[in-house]
Amino acid sequence: MSTLALQDTSVLTGRSLRHILRSPDTIITTVMMPIAFLLLFVYVFGGAIQAGPASYVNYLMPGILLITVATGISYTSFRLFTDMQSGMVTRLRAMPIARSSVLWAHVLTSLVANLVSVTIVVGVSLIMGFRSVASVGSWLGVAGIMTLFTLALTWVAMIPGLTARSTDGAVAFSYPLIFLPFISSAFVPTATMPAPVRWFADHQPVTPLVDSIRSLLAGRPADADLWVGLAWCAGILVAAYVVATRIYRRRLR
């Protein structure tokens, strides 16, 4: 990316972040659903769920972090859809700015907004009793996994943001992503599930990511789950990036 493109991306990212600051309900709405799940499962269902020797809030936290990001990226798609429909992107096209800066600005905005949301959710979990013995290196590993996961889902969000014909269509894609952790090891061990459900849970991307984050937060090595989870994220990221950028170029012709 050239210096000019970096400057254009920085300016457009600042514009998107100012929109979020002027409308804090975006972040409030984003964190309300995962916090509601956290309260529901810890204080209502937690006593009846056998998830190992650690406290249930410790077991639950990795899945809640992924749900927080899955909830937040619906707003990324909505913001891009709004720019496309309002003529903002068309107006920028007539100006001497790098075309790629529009998409990258939304990507960086998504990263910052989701980082803030995840931080708020972690703060609430600490109040509820979440504790971790992870080292600084393990926390950095968790941050890296969350960053790659956010990037992958953000580029997925670019596709409906560019192609949807209505606001509902732009945000509806996120619903399956939000509920995917329910069929994984996020809430209960997959060993307790019926065989067909367990097979799906063990072979979808959320389970290795959840297990990796859980191991790192517990001070254990992430083992092979880490590489499986990273491979899923990298594959989704590359595929979504290629599709989104091709659609974007076609829309600008």
Side-chain angles (χ1 to χ4, degrees):
M1 187 179 288
S2 66
T3 303
L4 178 61
L6 288 174
Q7 292 174 345
D8 295 338
T9 301
S10 176
V11 172
L12 292 176
T13 302
R15 165 184 170 270
S16 295
L17 290 175
R18 282 193 295 275
H19 285 175
I20 294 177
L21 290 175
R22 292 168 184 169
S23 180
D25 58 299
T26 299
I27 290 181
I28 293 173
T29 305
T30 298
V31 301
M32 282 303 294
M33 181 179 291
I35 289 176
F37 283 141
L38 195 59
L39 294 170
L40 178 66
F41 276 87
V42 171
Y43 293 130
V44 178
F45 301 135
I49 298 176
Q50 300 298 323
S55 67
Y56 187 60
V57 66
N58 278 24
Y59 183 89
L60 188 62
M61 268 308 292
I64 294 296
L65 295 179
L66 298 188
I67 288 177
T68 304
V69 174
T71 305
I73 60 159
S74 63
Y75 283 94
T76 301
S77 180
F78 172 75
R79 286 190 290 268
L80 178 58
F81 172 78
T82 302
D83 279 352
M84 295 295 294
Q85 297 300 311
S86 66
M88 181 66 186
V89 175
T90 303
R91 185 181 304 174
L92 292 174
R93 181 186 175 191
M95 301 172 66
I97 68 169
R99 292 186 176 186
S100 62
S101 61
V102 175
L103 292 187
W104 279 108
H106 283 286
V107 171
L108 294 178
T109 301
S110 175
L111 274 177
V112 174
N114 280 294
L115 177 61
V116 172
S117 298
V118 166
T119 302
I120 294 173
V121 171
V122 171
V124 172
S125 72
L126 289 172
I127 297 173
M128 294 174 62
F130 169 71
R131 296 293 182 270
S132 172
V133 295
S135 64
V136 174
S138 294
W139 274 107
L140 290 176
V142 173
I145 293 172
M146 294 302 300
T147 299
L148 185 59
F149 180 71
T150 303
L151 280 173
L153 292 195
T154 296
W155 278 105
V156 172
M158 295 287 118
I159 297 172
L162 291 166
T163 58
R165 297 183 178 180
S166 67
T167 303
D168 291 339
V171 301
F173 84 99
S174 66
Y175 299 144
L177 300 178
I178 293 171
F179 287 100
L180 200 57
F182 286 90
I183 316 175
S184 74
S185 63
F187 293 90
V188 296
T190 59
T192 63
M193 302 175 182
V197 180
R198 180 181 179 181
W199 183 90
F200 177 81
D202 286 339
H203 294 86
Q204 59 122 320
V206 171
T207 293
L209 290 172
V210 165
D211 291 345
S212 299
I213 295 173
R214 186 174 292 134
S215 295
L216 291 172
L217 292 179
R220 301 190 302 267
D223 297 331
D225 289 330
L226 176 62
W227 302 111
V228 174
L230 294 180
W232 269 109
C233 287
I236 294 171
L237 171 60
V238 171
Y241 172 82
V242 171
V243 173
T245 52
R246 285 185 178 179
I247 294 173
Y248 180 63
R249 292 192 191 103
R250 190 168 65 241
R251 292 291 303 270
L252 293 185
R253 288 175 183 169

